Amino acid sequence: RVKTDLLQQEVQVEEMGGDVQCVEISATKKMGLDKLEEAILLQAEMMELKADPDMPAVAYVVEAKQEKGLGAVATILMRQGTLKIGDVFVVGETFGRVRGLIGSDGTRVKQVKPGQPTVVLGLNTVPGAGDELRVMETEAQTREVAAYRAQQARDKANAVKRSSLEELFAKRDDNKKLILPIILRADVQGSVEAITDMVKEINTDKVGVDVLSSGVGQITEGDIRLATASGAVIIAFNVRADSVVRDMARNNGVDIRYHSVVYRITDEIKEILSGKLAPEKRETFIGYADVIALFTVGKGTRVAGCRLTEGTIKKDAFVRLLRNNVVIYDGKIGQLRREKNEVKEVSGGVEFGMSFDKYNDLKEGDRVECYEVEEVRAKL
């Protein structure tokens, strides 16, 4: 069926008389991956694709994020040249100097050549997925180019006039089109771009979505100020706001919608725009705790020694494990213990132990977020 559909797009595979290779694969079942590699190598040889490792390095960003302890990092794929420790580069609207390179096997390397993927350390800020990385001669050049690109982006953003949610709804066009402004925050740049593309597709002759701002990392005070001024809804995908930002949002009446499943974001936005707003599941945060020690019990089960910092932790509630305000686990509590006794809840700033259902990747400094889910009548 897929091969037939490709014909409608003027793509003719070899077995149908064309010159396009076709390989049937399944990444989950690990089927056909070796054949895919052979096909790529054959195609590259037929097309005489070559790269000069002695040219100034050029690469493309596949993914980028803010990593705790490492700063801004980017996964790149080399196109030409050789990238080495100490090289200065410009990538999108930011720049940097290569402080470290991590190969696909997780080990540190001193250089990468064409066709190789690597994680590069030493960026000034998080670049965008798809940005081109180019090695420059001097650091002054990288700063100048990055500053020029950043200024162009700011000028473009400032040229777009923003208005409050009420004004946007009041100033409907001839077709009475509703526009919902949103601010998007996600854990990695790839998620930001994917979600932005998805919500922009929610566009009919009656409704649409306007992404006022988007970025990687936790929700900031600047996001709250922009949402307050524009009446926008903040969409948070696998990231959180700290206590200061949460209080600021509460005091300014800013609506923050937390999500960990992509399709639910579009479902919720469609509900808001359609005015259906049926009873929905709303999260209520009831407690926070910090992981201060780790223990191993039984058959390799990891237990987190925690200190309660706010509210209550309940055994039958839901929990998320946050690392640098990014969600790494969302599920249920395995065990909850206080002074070696299993309990149903803890409160009052005490220290206690807890494990997570079928999850052991814990580190000191992680933060536990406990929440309850209730059905409420949704409203904008």
Side-chain angles (χ1 to χ4, degrees):
R1 188 184 67 189
V2 173
K3 294 171 186 174
T4 304
D5 289 345
L6 286 172
L7 288 175
Q8 299 176 8
Q9 305 299 323
E10 299 181 356
V11 177
Q12 192 170 3
V13 300
E14 289 178 339
E15 61 189 78
M16 291 185 173
D19 58 359
V20 178
Q21 292 193 76
C22 180
V23 183
E24 297 177 12
I25 68 167
S26 170
T28 55
K29 296 180 180 179
K30 299 181 179 179
M31 293 168 51
L33 300 183
D34 53 344
K35 294 180 181 178
L36 175 62
E37 185 176 8
E38 291 173 7
I40 292 172
L41 293 173
L42 175 61
Q43 189 72 23
E45 186 177 344
M46 292 171 58
M47 296 174 67
E48 297 184 349
L49 296 179
K50 297 179 181 179
D52 187 348
D54 298 322
M55 293 181 65
V58 177
Y60 291 105
V61 176
V62 179
E63 186 57 275
K65 61 182 177 180
Q66 194 77 21
E67 190 80 32
K68 187 176 182 181
L70 298 176
V73 301
T75 302
I76 62 170
L77 183 62
M78 292 296 296
R79 178 184 175 186
Q80 68 178 33
T82 301
L83 187 65
K84 304 180 293 295
I85 301 292
D87 283 348
V88 292
F89 59 84
V90 63
V91 51
E93 299 169 22
T94 189
F95 61 93
R97 179 185 294 273
V98 179
R99 290 194 293 106
L101 296 167
I102 303 174
S104 56
D105 59 356
T107 60
R108 295 269 183 158
V109 295
K110 294 183 178 180
Q111 63 180 25
V112 283
K113 295 187 175 182
Q116 294 181 329
T118 186
V119 175
V120 60
L121 314 180
L123 293 98
N124 188 43
T125 57
V126 177
D131 283 350
E132 184 184 71
L133 181 149
R134 281 186 175 271
V135 168
M136 311 289 281
E137 292 183 1
T138 67
E139 189 170 347
Q141 287 180 328
T142 67
R143 291 177 180 273
E144 184 179 352
V145 173
Y148 175 73
R149 291 177 177 176
Q151 185 60 50
Q152 278 192 318
R154 284 194 295 269
D155 292 344
K156 184 178 180 180
N158 291 335
V160 181
K161 186 178 180 180
R162 305 301 183 188
S163 57
S164 69
L165 183 60
E166 291 79 8
E167 290 171 333
L168 285 168
F169 272 68
K171 295 179 182 178
R172 299 176 183 179
D173 57 19
D174 295 337
N175 295 322
K176 296 183 178 181
K177 189 168 183 175
L178 299 176
I179 303 296
L180 176 69
I182 67 171
I183 295 169
L184 174 62
R185 280 280 173 177
D187 53 347
V188 293
Q189 185 65 30
S191 297
V192 171
E193 297 189 2
I195 296 169
T196 299
D197 290 342
M198 288 178 62
V199 298
K200 283 183 177 178
E201 291 179 1
I202 306 174
N203 187 31
T204 68
D205 57 345
K206 294 184 179 180
V207 299
V209 175
D210 188 11
V211 182
L212 303 186
S213 173
S214 62
V216 174
Q218 67 184 46
I219 302 167
T220 65
E221 294 183 19
D223 295 331
I224 304 301
R225 284 192 288 270
L226 178 57
T228 302
S230 64
V233 175
I234 296 179
I235 303 295
F237 181 75
N238 278 346
V239 295
R240 291 294 176 271
D242 59 28
S243 57
V244 174
V245 174
R246 288 201 310 274
D247 291 341
M248 185 178 177
R250 191 181 304 115
N251 294 335
N252 287 278
V254 172
D255 189 2
I256 301 177
R257 304 292 179 102
Y258 296 99
H259 289 276
S260 55
V261 180
V262 171
Y263 72 85
R264 289 180 182 167
I265 296 176
T266 55
D267 288 348
E268 184 173 67
I269 290 175
K270 287 176 181 177
E271 285 186 355
I272 293 173
L273 287 170
S274 66
K276 292 180 179 178
L277 295 181
E280 63 178 22
K281 292 182 178 180
R282 180 66 60 86
E283 296 178 2
T284 302
F285 301 114
I286 60 173
Y288 288 89
D290 293 330
V291 178
I292 58 176
L294 297 173
F295 309 96
T296 302
V297 299
K299 298 180 179 179
T301 300
R302 297 280 278 174
V303 175
C306 303
R307 179 181 293 116
L308 192 66
T309 58
E310 181 181 338
T312 302
I313 303 293
K314 295 183 179 180
K315 173 71 167 62
D316 57 355
F318 296 92
V319 288
R320 292 191 182 94
L321 193 63
L322 311 180
R323 187 168 295 163
N324 196 29
N325 273 322
V326 174
V327 179
I328 59 173
Y329 171 80
D330 190 346
K332 300 286 287 184
I333 295 174
Q335 288 187 331
L336 184 64
R337 291 181 175 273
R338 167 75 175 138
E339 295 180 347
K340 298 184 179 180
N341 298 317
E342 193 157 354
V343 295
K344 292 185 177 181
E345 68 176 66
V346 291
S347 58
V350 299
E351 294 185 2
F352 61 96
M354 68 185 307
S355 63
F356 301 91
D357 189 22
K358 299 178 182 178
Y359 190 80
N360 278 336
D361 181 19
L362 310 173
K363 290 185 179 180
E364 290 184 18
D366 289 348
R367 190 165 174 78
V368 178
E369 176 182 85
C370 187
Y371 66 98
E372 293 178 324
V373 178
E374 60 178 340
E375 267 201 356
V376 297
R377 182 69 182 178
K379 61 181 180 179
L380 190 61

